[in-house]
Amino acid sequence: MAFPYLEAVLGFMIFMYFFETYLDIRQHAALKLTNLPKPLEGVISQEKFERARAYSIDKSGFHFIHEAVTILMDTAILYFGILPWFWKVSGNLVAYLGLDAENEIMHTLSFLAGVMIWSQITDLPFSLYSTFVIEARHGFNKQTVWLFFRDMFKGICLSILLGPPIVAAIIFIVQKGGPYLAIYLWAFMFALSLVMMTLYPILIAPLFNKFTPLPDGELREKIEKLAASLKFPLKKLFVVDGSTRSSHSNAYMYGFFNNKRIVLYDTLIQQCTNEEEVVAVIAHELGHWKLNHTMYSFIAVQILTFLQFGGYTLVRNSKDLFESFGFDTQPILIGLIIFQHTVIPLQHLVNFGLNLVSRTFEFQADAFAKKLGYAKALRAGLIKLQEENLSAMNTDPWYSAYHYSHPPLVERLTAIEEPDNKTEISSVRVPRRRPPRGLRDIRCEGRSPSDGGSRSENAVLRLAWYGSELLGIAASLFRPSPSTAPSEELRADGLGFAAGRAEVAEAIKEDFDRSYFVTGNLTLEAYEDDCEFADPAGSFRGLQRFKRNCTNFGSLLEKSSMKLTKWEDFEDKSIGHWRFSCIMSFPWRPILSATGYTEYYFDAQSGRVCRHVEHWNVPKMALFKQIFRPSRWVWEKR
């Protein structure tokens, strides 16, 4: 019996709707509170609080209606088979126009054109009400109906211009990708994102807003001086006419390498009458750059994109999946849409995790600005932005933890006001509850290599590590099991390991000859079943999990070499120094090469390894760079 994919997707969609509605109800109740949070008393005026409260309540009520209509439409589209019906209609339209209906690109573009029209029609009433009723009622909307529809028309034209070549490229890659499909799809989207990040501020953004250089004056001098002190390669400083559409304010920066630009909304300059407040906001944004938050976020997005495409390649030929949603064929675009629906649970978990990381980044950027001497100005600027944007003053803790990518104002002000010894950049961390230390932890001590480095960098590495582990597990389900002769079992039964550690050490040395790091061929009885394994990306417990991960990693390699170069014995541990290199079986044949050492901590009672700690003598992010660097073999072939 086939798995009921459609029913599972609908069930989770409805479950998440009720869960998020429950959070919305909690937030709505918090918004109705008539008193300011105690830390904001005397800081935010009562008049501003009442205005912010009314604005937030109006938006919250509108949100309930919009979400209810959305879940009804989405459920109906899936349950009543609207998608397969519309796919057939779009194919008939292609044939009616005298075009080749068998051409999947033409068929897909026809389908997407209909989806775009449907989306514009269904979204328009909500957009109009939000802009010209709620935003206008509270003094934010500045655009006319003509400007609103002109922007919408420009957006449609851009979709018509850019959409077809992108869709055609994706379909072509899927048709020709072969076993490396996920890599090709990711590489295309990676290149596309770089192109769009380059072209958007230069060609697309000016279609909607006017960008002018910030006039010479004290504000410009202060920003340029701040950027120079941090060695930020500022090339241009713009003011954008955000006031033509809204009174909301913002600031951002963009650009690659030594061509950075900063953009200030004119509303930000108008609202923050004290120039130091504007400079403090810029100091916060430069903190994101200096602490590599932008790079880490970009890497995280690329990792998630690759994992999504990897998951798609595992199910794209699943007949049961397509039939569950009512399709008797397997169109490429439809496969991507269906796959996105099936991984909704994972997407919610990932978004929650990314919000946690984002809030940590915000605290770190605030601490960075404070360290530069802008604590007072940043505090005043944040309060001013909160007041002028009529942001919610009272927030429900559950709602903010689930939805907010930025910490509430109260939490940010509290962090800024803490003594300096608590707000050093290196100590700004998300609180983490540590488990109690058991007898095994006392007997088996050692520092994890992942404890070093910035918390931001480690978060990205852990995301990559656990994501690749999940992908490896999924891929192993589709990989034929290797036939292993009984004589090749490496359990070493009867070697008497419990009597001492000498036999364990000899077994580990023999495991190096079998390159156990990448083959999984290790002497299992040399380790405790709940042995802890740590490396620069993270740590976990479980011998079988370690063996499985090594086996999955080895399946990605074309050639590998692992040499034990030195062995040292100490009272409570042994250290094996090694040299490792491999060629990965990707199309560009990247070469990974590193040296390092592994600490083997021994259980005092059994003599087996209870902690296996890897240390790599290569910067953590350098390993990722090696993965994307083509080998000389690729260039010679070209």
Side-chain angles (χ1 to χ4, degrees):
M1 181 172 144
F3 182 81
Y5 293 101
L6 175 61
E7 291 77 5
V9 168
L10 288 174
F12 189 80
M13 284 172 53
I14 295 171
F15 167 78
M16 288 307 303
Y17 168 73
F18 283 111
F19 171 71
E20 293 182 350
T21 299
Y22 168 71
L23 295 181
D24 292 339
I25 292 172
R26 291 179 59 98
Q27 176 67 0
H28 195 76
L31 296 174
K32 285 189 172 182
L33 296 176
T34 56
N35 297 321
L36 273 165
K38 287 188 177 181
L40 298 182
E41 291 178 356
V43 176
I44 303 290
S45 68
Q46 189 64 26
E47 184 267 337
K48 287 288 187 182
F49 170 63
E50 292 297 337
R51 286 184 58 198
R53 179 170 170 269
Y55 177 54
S56 297
I57 291 174
D58 275 359
K59 289 200 302 178
S60 178
F62 174 71
H63 177 74
F64 280 116
I65 298 173
H66 183 252
E67 290 302 302
V69 173
T70 300
I71 189 65
L72 285 174
M73 287 195 302
D74 290 348
T75 303
I77 289 172
L78 292 178
Y79 183 77
F80 292 106
I82 305 298
L83 274 180
W85 171 81
F86 195 71
W87 176 259
K88 292 179 180 179
V89 169
S90 61
N92 295 335
L93 178 61
V94 172
Y96 178 78
L97 295 175
L99 302 173
D100 183 10
E102 298 299 320
N103 186 311
E104 186 168 351
I105 293 177
M106 297 300 300
H107 193 160
T108 301
L109 293 178
S110 173
F111 175 82
L112 289 177
V115 170
M116 183 175 67
I117 294 172
W118 169 257
S119 298
Q120 292 293 337
I121 293 173
T122 55
D123 290 343
L124 185 59
F126 295 103
S127 297
L128 288 172
Y129 187 85
S130 175
T131 302
F132 294 103
V133 177
I134 295 180
E135 296 294 308
R137 179 187 298 163
H138 296 278
F140 286 115
N141 181 51
K142 302 299 179 183
Q143 63 181 325
T144 62
V145 175
W146 159 248
L147 184 57
F148 175 88
F149 281 102
R150 190 180 71 178
D151 284 350
M152 186 174 72
F153 176 75
K154 289 179 181 178
I156 293 173
C157 290
L158 284 172
S159 298
I160 295 173
L161 179 65
L162 300 177
I166 294 174
V167 171
I170 291 174
I171 293 175
F172 177 80
I173 292 171
V174 174
Q175 291 175 338
K176 306 294 183 181
Y180 301 114
L181 171 59
I183 298 172
Y184 294 142
L185 282 174
W186 170 80
F188 171 72
M189 295 305 298
F190 175 74
L192 180 64
S193 63
L194 294 181
V195 171
M196 292 304 298
M197 283 165 44
T198 302
L199 296 182
Y200 178 83
I202 300 173
L203 299 178
I204 298 177
L207 296 175
F208 299 90
N209 290 99
K210 183 179 180 181
F211 293 79
T212 57
L214 179 67
D216 293 333
E218 190 173 353
L219 177 60
R220 185 181 185 95
E221 291 176 1
K222 289 180 177 179
I223 294 176
E224 289 178 341
K225 182 179 179 181
L226 173 62
S229 69
L230 299 174
K231 298 182 180 179
F232 178 77
L234 177 62
K235 295 300 181 183
K236 294 184 179 180
L237 188 52
F238 290 114
V239 177
V240 61
D241 62 338
S243 58
T244 59
R245 290 169 174 79
S246 174
S247 295
H248 291 295
S249 52
N250 200 0
Y252 63 92
M253 57 188 182
Y254 65 92
F256 292 109
F257 308 114
N258 293 324
N259 187 28
K260 305 289 187 181
R261 305 179 184 191
I262 294 177
V263 177
L264 306 176
Y265 276 59
D266 56 356
T267 48
L268 176 66
I269 299 174
Q270 295 163 9
Q271 293 167 5
C272 295
T273 54
N274 185 340
E275 291 180 347
E276 283 297 311
E277 295 173 0
V278 179
V279 179
V281 172
I282 298 302
H284 169 92
E285 296 300 325
L286 291 176
H288 286 305
W289 169 78
K290 192 70 174 179
L291 299 173
N292 295 316
H293 293 166
T294 305
M295 182 188 70
Y296 294 144
S297 298
F298 183 76
I299 292 173
V301 169
Q302 296 308 313
I303 292 171
L304 292 171
T305 301
F306 176 74
L307 293 176
Q308 280 194 322
F309 284 135
Y312 164 70
T313 61
L314 298 177
V315 302
R316 70 186 184 95
N317 293 321
S318 172
K319 184 178 179 181
D320 291 341
L321 178 63
F322 282 87
E323 289 182 347
S324 179
F325 283 81
F327 288 89
D328 51 14
T329 59
Q330 298 180 4
I332 291 171
L333 180 74
I334 297 299
L336 287 167
I337 294 174
I338 293 176
F339 175 73
Q340 289 298 317
H341 279 87
T342 59
V343 296
I344 285 177
L346 289 177
Q347 289 176 342
H348 281 281
L349 290 175
V350 168
N351 288 338
F352 177 70
L354 291 178
N355 281 343
L356 290 177
V357 174
S358 175
R359 285 198 293 272
T360 304
F361 285 173
E362 293 302 317
F363 282 124
Q364 290 180 345
D366 285 347
F368 182 87
K370 177 181 178 179
K371 189 176 182 181
L372 294 177
Y374 292 100
K376 184 177 179 181
L378 179 62
R379 182 180 185 277
L382 291 176
I383 293 171
K384 186 69 65 66
L385 292 176
Q386 185 88 358
E387 287 183 326
E388 296 300 329
N389 288 285
L390 300 183
S391 300
M393 307 294 176
N394 288 301
T395 57
D396 176 75
W398 289 22
Y399 180 90
S400 62
Y402 181 78
H403 283 290
Y404 283 9
S405 62
H406 287 54
L409 177 64
V410 171
E411 295 180 17
R412 296 181 71 176
L413 295 183
T414 300
I416 292 173
E417 292 166 359
E418 286 180 349
D420 288 341
N421 63 340
K422 290 185 179 181
T423 55
E424 289 293 326
I425 292 173
S426 61
S427 66
V428 180
R429 293 181 171 91
V430 176
R432 181 173 62 178
R433 188 182 303 276
R434 293 185 180 274
R437 294 167 60 91
L439 292 176
R440 175 166 299 282
D441 297 314
I442 295 175
R443 295 200 311 265
C444 205
E445 192 65 59
R447 182 176 182 273
S448 169
S450 62
D451 293 342
S454 72
R455 181 59 57 101
S456 311
E457 182 176 317
N458 286 333
V460 173
L461 285 171
R462 276 192 288 270
L463 178 64
W465 196 94
Y466 288 114
S468 59
E469 181 183 19
L470 289 174
L471 185 60
I473 294 171
S476 67
L477 299 177
F478 295 84
R479 189 169 58 238
S481 301
S483 57
T484 303
S487 60
E488 294 176 344
E489 291 293 329
L490 302 172
R491 295 202 55 83
D493 292 319
L495 290 184
F497 285 171
R501 40 182 275 199
E503 295 87 347
V504 174
E506 289 303 316
I508 293 173
K509 294 176 184 178
E510 292 176 4
D511 289 345
F512 269 98
D513 294 335
R514 292 187 288 267
S515 299
Y516 78 96
F517 272 37
V518 294
T519 63
N521 290 335
L522 72 162
T523 308
L524 298 180
E525 287 206 355
Y527 300 83
E528 294 289 339
D529 288 338
D530 64 342
C531 177
E532 180 180 0
F533 295 89
D535 62 24
S539 65
F540 61 87
R541 287 188 181 276
L543 176 59
Q544 291 299 328
R545 181 178 175 185
F546 176 74
K547 177 178 173 61
R548 181 194 65 205
N549 290 344
C550 291
T551 303
N552 288 339
F553 178 65
S555 67
L556 299 175
L557 305 183
E558 189 172 286
K559 295 180 181 179
S560 66
S561 173
M562 173 75 105
K563 298 294 183 183
L564 181 64
T565 59
K566 183 180 180 182
W567 184 269
E568 298 177 290
D569 288 310
F570 298 91
E571 182 178 353
D572 63 335
K573 66 179 180 181
S574 293
I575 297 179
H577 298 261
W578 44 261
R579 182 174 65 252
F580 170 73
S581 64
C582 69
I583 300 176
M584 302 194 72
S585 56
F586 293 160
W588 57 91
R589 298 296 191 274
I591 298 175
L592 302 187
S593 179
T595 61
Y597 61 94
T598 301
E599 297 175 290
Y600 301 89
Y601 291 86
F602 298 94
D603 185 275
Q605 296 179 4
S606 69
R608 294 186 175 94
V609 177
C610 61
R611 199 155 192 268
H612 176 287
V613 185
E614 296 175 27
H615 298 268
W616 294 66
N617 298 332
V618 177
K620 298 175 182 178
M621 301 309 294
L623 293 173
F624 283 99
K625 293 180 180 178
Q626 290 185 16
I627 294 176
F628 300 109
R629 184 184 302 132
S631 66
R632 183 183 301 175
W633 179 88
V634 174
W635 297 115
E636 291 175 350
K637 285 288 183 180
R638 291 178 176 229

